Amino acid sequence: MFYSKKRFSEFLKFGGYSQKDVLIHKCRARLMRPSFAIVRDQNSKCFLLFIRGAISTKERLTAAASVEVPFHHIVLNEGQIDNVILGYAHYGMLAAARWIANLAIPLLHSAVREFPDYQLKVIGHSMGAGIGAILTYILHEHYDFTSCTCLAFAPPACMTWELAESGKGFITSLVNRNDMVPAFSKVAFESLRSEVMVSSKLDDLQDQDHLSLFAKISQRVALAKSHMLSISHSVGKTADSDPSISEPLLKQAPEIITPEANRLNIDCSQQRADVAANLEHDFSAVSVATSEERIILVDKDDFASAKTVTESCCASQGDVDSNQVLDTEEASLETKEEAPSLTQNGAGKEKQKEPPSGPGSRQLFPPGRIIHMVAQLPLEPNPGEGTSSNEIVSIYETPRDLYSKIRLAPNMIDEHYMTSYISTMESLLEQLQSEDTVSTAPNDL
């Protein structure tokens, strides 16, 4: 009720509290100043400190201030400093936690002296869970609050590894199904972005290689055709260069112009034969160099067309090793021509394994002991048994490094809201009650 948009009076009525049980309530959230309340619960003999998540725009700006700043936790043992845990924390959540601590600590000192048998519990959801976890570290540095505990629903990644590990004894983080917020951090987001970009670039490079091969072959053919057309055009101009010879004269005096025309035809045929011989010599040089000397005698620009001709020649000769030599030579030439492209193509998989981290970027993790609720369909579904949704809900204590990477799922946002957490917990409680009933039935008999 407190994490919903309903009025605070309805929350008090739902929990059975009166206005006298409220130590402090800040309903309007501002930048770095979230909405929170401290309530005295007589049934559990606890002071409950509730911190709401990001609902308004200013609260979302607090969550967006994700710069990592130094945050050190002093561990007390019987009132004496026993250890100091060095680390970093989320700037916006740390600032909000210190603001709440300045307001709440004087009130809590007075309340604990008045009710010494009461415990202090911090409860938060989403951004409020991260603020509550950091606030619990701050409260533990005071001797009166060393027994303070925190229950964090859907906590974000808000602190570095050492700090998160040191809070296992007094912080419990609860994660629902495919909720992505506990794994969402700047480093994890950059890693996901890098993987998506690398995979798309690999696809683009493959398409670009196919298109460049087509373009080089087409360019080679077009150059050959244009060269042949230019030769024919020049021959035509040579035949018509003498203006004194007209068409009737050519018809009337064939004996006079026949030797000159024959010489022009011989020159044209000779030039065409030379061009054909040069092309054939280039292609034959590629074939001989591939099959015998293993050296490609072509330019880099003509490599694609030479490769096509050479592969056809090697196939007709039954040479199996020539394909491997061509691949080796192609790799060496592409390395010299397109070094950046080859680096992206060859080292793509290595980049996926190494998450990018800019200067000063640090991986953040959810705090404390992490409990994950997982739902799955039964192997043999039976509508008459189990929960109403026929799902089996299990809880696991999961390792922290599981939340160093964002895992995409269709419902990863919907399962972050408190209504989804309540639904999963109700299913889990219903399942546990049915299991207890089955286990105690033989004992009753």
Side-chain angles (χ1 to χ4, degrees):
M1 294 291 292
F2 182 77
Y3 303 121
S4 65
K5 295 182 179 180
K6 296 182 180 180
R7 295 181 178 180
F8 186 69
S9 58
E10 297 183 13
F11 162 73
L12 295 178
K13 183 178 179 181
F14 178 81
Y17 305 124
S18 63
Q19 196 64 36
K20 296 180 180 179
D21 296 326
V22 179
L23 275 67
I24 186 175
H25 175 223
K26 294 292 182 179
C27 60
R28 180 172 295 182
R30 295 180 176 84
L31 185 63
M32 310 295 179
R33 298 181 179 184
S35 174
F36 76 98
I38 302 177
V39 180
R40 180 170 61 92
D41 191 342
Q42 300 180 5
N43 296 328
S44 61
K45 291 188 176 182
C46 290
F47 293 106
L48 303 179
L49 197 160
F50 297 97
I51 305 175
R52 194 179 69 186
I55 295 179
S56 64
T57 303
K58 294 180 180 179
E59 290 172 316
R60 293 189 178 95
L61 290 175
T62 301
S66 58
V67 180
E68 305 92 359
V69 294
F71 175 61
H72 311 316
H73 171 53
I74 300 174
V75 181
L76 298 180
N77 186 10
E78 296 182 355
Q80 302 295 326
I81 298 177
D82 183 61
N83 193 10
V84 178
I85 309 298
L86 306 180
Y88 291 81
H90 186 284
Y91 169 71
M93 299 180 191
L94 177 59
R98 286 174 174 168
W99 175 74
I100 295 176
N102 292 333
L103 297 177
I105 287 178
L107 297 174
L108 290 174
H109 276 301
S110 301
V112 168
R113 294 191 185 98
E114 184 178 357
F115 302 95
D117 56 338
Y118 274 52
Q119 301 293 325
L120 175 60
K121 292 184 179 181
V122 181
I123 305 171
H125 171 256
S126 188
M127 183 192 72
I131 297 173
I134 298 175
L135 177 62
T136 307
Y137 282 95
I138 298 175
L139 293 175
H140 264 255
E141 297 178 357
H142 297 263
Y143 179 74
D144 292 340
F145 311 130
T146 53
S147 61
C148 173
T149 58
C150 175
L151 178 59
F153 293 95
C158 58
M159 60 185 65
T160 51
W161 182 281
E162 292 77 10
L163 282 172
E165 283 289 318
S166 65
K168 277 188 171 182
F170 50 87
I171 298 176
T172 300
S173 297
L174 190 64
V175 182
N176 179 38
R177 305 192 187 199
N178 295 319
D179 187 1
M180 66 168 293
V181 172
F184 193 86
S185 63
K186 287 198 306 182
V187 175
F189 177 76
E190 287 297 329
S191 178
L192 176 63
R193 177 179 175 274
S194 176
E195 291 180 4
V196 173
M197 295 296 293
V198 167
S199 62
S200 62
K201 285 182 180 179
L202 289 177
D203 295 337
D204 293 342
L205 286 174
Q206 291 178 357
D207 296 339
Q208 186 177 0
D209 291 340
H210 288 47
L211 292 176
S212 62
L213 180 62
F214 252 145
K216 288 182 180 180
I217 294 174
S218 302
Q219 184 179 7
R220 181 67 179 179
V221 174
L223 288 174
K225 287 183 178 180
S226 62
H227 190 59
M228 298 295 291
L229 291 175
S230 64
I231 292 174
S232 300
H233 186 64
S234 62
V235 170
K237 286 184 177 181
T238 306
D240 299 335
S241 59
D242 193 357
S244 63
I245 302 176
S246 59
E247 186 176 356
L249 181 60
L250 291 174
K251 291 181 180 179
Q252 294 176 4
E255 295 85 358
I256 299 175
I257 63 174
T258 299
E260 184 178 356
N262 288 336
R263 286 195 303 271
L264 292 176
N265 291 334
I266 291 172
D267 294 340
C268 179
S269 301
Q270 185 65 31
Q271 291 180 1
R272 292 181 179 178
D274 293 341
V275 172
N278 290 333
L279 292 176
E280 184 178 0
H281 180 268
D282 292 340
F283 293 152
S284 62
V286 175
S287 176
V288 170
T290 305
S291 59
E292 295 179 0
E293 299 179 0
R294 302 292 191 245
I295 301 174
I296 295 180
L297 303 177
V298 291
D299 294 334
K300 295 179 181 180
D301 296 334
D302 301 333
F303 180 78
S305 59
K307 178 188 172 186
T308 305
V309 177
T310 307
E311 288 180 349
S312 62
C313 295
C314 293
S316 62
Q317 295 176 2
D319 191 356
V320 180
D321 297 333
S322 61
N323 291 330
Q324 298 178 356
V325 176
L326 284 174
D327 294 338
T328 305
E329 297 293 336
E330 180 181 4
S332 62
L333 289 176
E334 289 183 353
T335 303
K336 296 178 181 179
E337 291 182 352
E338 301 174 355
S341 300
L342 184 60
T343 303
Q344 293 176 354
N345 193 357
K349 295 182 179 179
E350 295 180 0
K351 287 184 179 180
Q352 293 179 6
K353 296 180 181 179
E354 298 178 0
S357 57
S361 298
R362 296 172 180 85
Q363 178 73 57
L364 300 182
F365 298 91
R369 181 188 181 195
I370 304 175
I371 304 297
H372 205 127
M373 298 185 295
V374 180
Q376 58 185 357
L377 294 176
L379 298 177
E380 298 179 357
N382 188 357
E385 297 180 358
T387 61
S388 58
S389 59
N390 293 328
E391 287 183 338
I392 298 177
V393 181
S394 304
I395 53 176
Y396 301 92
E397 182 176 0
T398 50
R400 196 173 313 281
D401 55 1
L402 185 67
Y403 305 92
S404 61
K405 183 178 180 180
I406 299 175
R407 291 168 175 82
L408 304 180
N411 50 359
M412 60 185 180
I413 297 178
D414 294 338
E415 292 179 349
H416 172 69
Y417 296 111
M418 200 63 199
T419 53
S420 179
Y421 272 78
I422 293 174
S423 176
T424 305
M425 287 187 291
E426 289 177 349
S427 300
L428 177 61
L429 291 175
E430 182 181 349
Q431 177 182 323
L432 293 175
Q433 289 175 358
S434 62
E435 291 177 358
D436 291 340
T437 303
V438 173
S439 61
T440 57
N443 296 331
D444 295 339
L445 294 175

